[in-house]
Amino acid sequence: SPAGPEEVRFSIVTEERLVLTSSLPGRVAPVVVSEVRPQVDGIILERLFDEGSDVAGGQVLYRIDPVQYQAACNKARAELAEAEANVTAVALRESRYRNLAKANAISQQELDNVISAHGQARARIALARADLETAAINLAHTQITAPVAGRIGASSVTPGALVTANQPAALAVIRQHDPVYVDFAQSSADNLRLRRALAHGKMSANGGAAR
């Protein structure tokens, strides 16, 4: 042309490595989620934690009215003491009867009866001890403690509420926040596209895992 040749721009095409990045929605989830439930029936007297605070494992969270459980524990303790006193008396009687039996002063049947009574008295002690242990456990359960350490949420009950043993509704939920899971979601279509690109050699993995 009269103005001279046209200026032509050009660029050299070369291969280079590109890093593929994806923005994925993520969700933080606790490793441990523990629901707090009562193990005995009763009225909640007080709540001993701040909602949304961190609590320690074994920390007392609620207190149930312990009056009836304390009374049951006292009764079981008294019955154990009575059984122990009774077995002492029966043991002395058995000792006397054995001496009388040697002198043929009593019949063998009378000796057998007192030996049997001694065995029954010992059995009553074992039963009384078991009853006392059960009563003590129930009394201890009037203090509801945190099964794990973590952050506790809102309380579903207030003082004065009636709760029952192992009820379906949790009194509160504790979530451990150290460590935690972080879950990322990717659509199946995107995942399949990436796998095909890797399989056909169009892409290479970063050491076999995403960073």
Side-chain angles (χ1 to χ4, degrees):
S1 67
E6 292 283 344
E7 181 179 352
V8 178
R9 294 182 180 181
F10 67 92
S11 61
I12 300 174
V13 178
T14 59
E15 291 185 355
E16 64 180 36
R17 296 176 63 86
L18 295 177
V19 178
L20 178 64
T21 60
S22 298
S23 296
L24 302 175
R27 182 176 66 91
V28 178
V31 174
V32 176
V33 177
S34 178
E35 296 183 339
V36 180
R37 286 186 173 85
Q39 293 180 277
V40 292
D41 303 343
I43 301 294
I44 296 289
L45 289 184
E46 55 183 334
R47 171 171 60 84
L48 302 171
F49 66 92
D50 295 324
E51 297 170 313
S53 66
D54 291 336
V55 296
Q59 177 179 333
V60 179
L61 304 176
Y62 298 91
R63 194 165 67 88
I64 293 176
D65 188 352
V67 172
Q68 63 173 324
Y69 298 103
Q70 183 64 66
C73 195
N74 294 341
K75 179 182 178 183
R77 189 175 291 110
E79 289 176 346
L80 174 59
E82 181 181 6
E84 290 174 338
N86 181 58
V87 79
T88 300
V90 175
L92 292 173
R93 189 185 314 139
E94 180 184 343
S95 178
R96 289 195 305 270
Y97 274 44
R98 286 186 182 276
N99 292 330
L100 291 172
K102 289 177 183 179
N104 294 321
I106 61 171
S107 67
Q108 182 62 41
Q109 182 62 54
E110 289 176 301
L111 177 60
D112 291 343
N113 289 343
V114 77
I115 291 174
S116 176
H118 191 188
Q120 292 173 359
R122 288 196 301 268
R124 279 194 291 271
I125 286 182
L127 180 60
R129 282 177 179 162
D131 289 342
L132 177 57
E133 183 178 353
T134 300
I137 290 172
N138 289 336
L139 179 59
H141 283 162
T142 60
Q143 297 195 73
I144 303 173
T145 58
V148 297
R151 182 156 297 170
I152 193 166
S155 174
S156 65
V157 296
T158 57
L162 173 64
V163 296
T164 57
N166 302 311
Q167 62 185 38
L171 303 182
V173 178
I174 300 173
R175 294 176 171 84
Q176 284 191 348
H177 51 79
D178 184 17
V180 294
Y181 292 120
V182 181
D183 300 327
F184 294 98
Q186 185 178 42
S187 70
S188 58
D190 288 345
N191 186 273
L192 182 60
R193 193 159 43 244
L194 288 173
R195 289 181 182 276
R196 284 176 176 172
L198 287 169
H200 295 158
K202 297 179 180 179
M203 295 172 49
S204 61
N206 178 26
R211 184 172 59 181

